[in-house]
Amino acid sequence: MLTKALILGFSKVCKSNEIRKFMDTGLQVANKHIGLFSSLLVENDLHVPKLMDSEVTNSSISPFSDKLMLFHTGSLFGIAISYYDYAGIMSMRADLLVHCETAILRDFKVLAKF
């Protein structure tokens, strides 16, 4: 959810249309992951954390360069891959393993555009 908020903020202030398209793709993937894992929490009567989208301002002035924002977004997807991999390995539930592998493949597709 933090990644989604960060990408949302970056997509509002980046100058390059190509990087904005990359951010939009990353935002779509983050939304899919949040929806998938939130639905699993709801099915098991667990609390779903609050989204951080309300923390993103309407500023159009970029505090960072496009290269730095692109680097951080790519790094976050790389870190997410390792988190999903670890969650899949440590989980005793086969359904979670499938969801984690699907999330990893989606993240790899985003990084392939990177």
Side-chain angles (χ1 to χ4, degrees), residues 5 7 22 25 42 46 50 53 60 71 79 84-87 92:
I7 293 172
F22 174 77
T25 302
V42 169
L46 296 170
K50 181 182 160 192
D53 295 357
S60 60
F71 170 77
I79 292 167
Y84 290 134
D85 189 34
Y86 184 74
M92 302 282 286

Side-chain angles (χ1 to χ4, degrees), residues 33 37 79-89 100-101 103-104 107:
H33 292 179
F37 291 108
I79 292 167
I81 289 170
S82 64
Y83 286 159
Y84 290 134
D85 189 34
Y86 184 74
I89 290 168
C100 288
E101 288 177 351
I104 289 170
D107 285 350

Side-chain angles (χ1 to χ4, degrees), residues 18-61:
E18 185 178 343
I19 294 176
R20 186 170 288 119
K21 287 179 187 177
F22 174 77
M23 297 291 181
D24 290 340
T25 302
L27 194 58
Q28 290 171 359
V29 169
N31 282 327
K32 285 181 186 178
H33 292 179
I34 290 169
L36 173 68
F37 291 108
S38 293
S39 68
L40 289 172
L41 289 171
V42 169
E43 286 174 12
N44 292 287
D45 299 321
L46 296 170
H47 173 71
V48 178
K50 181 182 160 192
L51 290 174
M52 299 180 71
D53 295 357
S54 61
E55 301 297 323
V56 178
T57 65
N58 290 329
S59 176
S60 60
I61 300 169

Side-chain angles (χ1 to χ4, degrees), residues 3-17:
T3 299
K4 179 189 175 196
L6 195 61
I7 293 172
L8 184 62
F10 285 167
S11 69
K12 288 185 176 189
V13 297
C14 65
K15 295 174 183 118
S16 169
N17 286 332

